[in-house]
Amino acid sequence: MIRPLALVLALLLLLTACGLTRAPSRDVRGADSFDDDVITARQLTEQFWMQQFKQQGLTYRPITAFIPYSGDSGPRCGNERAVPNNAFYCPLGHFVAYDRDWMESLWNEMGDGSVYLIVPHELGHAVQAQLESRFELNVQQELQADCYAGGTLSALINSGALRAEPGDEDELLLNLEAAGDPTDDWLNPAAHGTAQQRQRSFATGYNNSVGAC
Ligand SMILES: [Zn+2]
């Protein structure tokens, strides 16, 4: 029997031996720009969920807007102000907004895997809103969004919509590690889960599809 952590690591090594590019890439070398990756991640993720909803006899409602912002200039979500260095889904307007500078710096430092984690994660919240999913703790909602991101990515790779390419070792592993909360504070309303919890949730979706989330 494989220990869960070993499984996660095996998965991540498999996955992170690869950069992600759209297939067929417009650039033969796969050197997609940051904006290409962001747009592609949104398009492919929403296409995936449209199919998933359809299979269940449901209709996926695309987000109304996908809004880049800079610093403090992001859109409000109800009474909440957008903060720098963040991406978020707003259920009130059914939109996703992201600090473009922040996400581009992650893309530069950690590779394109960052975009292919963050965008499907935020759109996972848009799915939760439509399915009217209920959670006792915020962290459960966050971990399910990570699981959805894993399931989305594996489906896109398996269908050939995304192509894995050599390089960028440990990219997604590092991304999830960087995104993990420093403490295991499950009752904190802002908690997203530890790096290990997030990696495990991502792996659950990746290995078993979004149906396992
Ligand atoms: Zn989230």
Side-chain angles (χ1 to χ4, degrees), residues 18-141:
C18 320
L20 296 166
T21 54
R22 183 179 211 161
S25 176
R26 265 169 285 171
D27 184 309
V28 273
R29 285 171 301 180
D32 297 327
S33 74
F34 166 73
D35 288 310
D36 287 342
D37 278 331
V38 174
I39 290 164
T40 300
R42 178 214 173 162
Q43 282 177 347
L44 293 179
T45 302
E46 289 210 289
Q47 280 169 20
F48 167 75
W49 282 111
M50 269 175 217
Q51 291 163 3
Q52 290 293 309
F53 272 58
K54 206 171 169 187
Q55 282 169 19
Q56 308 292 322
L58 303 170
T59 304
Y60 175 82
R61 200 159 52 90
I63 52 171
T64 58
F66 191 54
I67 306 167
Y69 65 89
S70 184
D72 291 314
S73 70
R76 302 182 77 94
C77 180
N79 293 325
E80 299 269 342
R81 288 179 152 277
V83 294
N85 305 329
N86 195 30
F88 64 95
Y89 166 71
C90 177
L92 296 173
H94 190 47
F95 66 82
V96 168
Y98 59 96
D99 182 336
R100 189 189 177 282
D101 303 336
W102 167 71
M103 210 145 85
E104 188 170 26
S105 71
L106 289 178
W107 185 85
N108 280 321
E109 287 162 23
M110 308 185 86
D112 54 7
S114 54
V115 167
Y116 286 100
L117 283 174
I118 295 167
V119 174
H121 173 101
E122 297 309 332
L123 288 168
H125 289 314
V127 167
Q128 290 168 335
Q130 294 180 66
L131 296 178
E132 298 179 9
S133 311
R134 295 270 173 265
F135 303 92
E136 269 179 54
L137 299 174
N138 184 70
V139 69
Q140 294 166 341
Q141 185 171 6

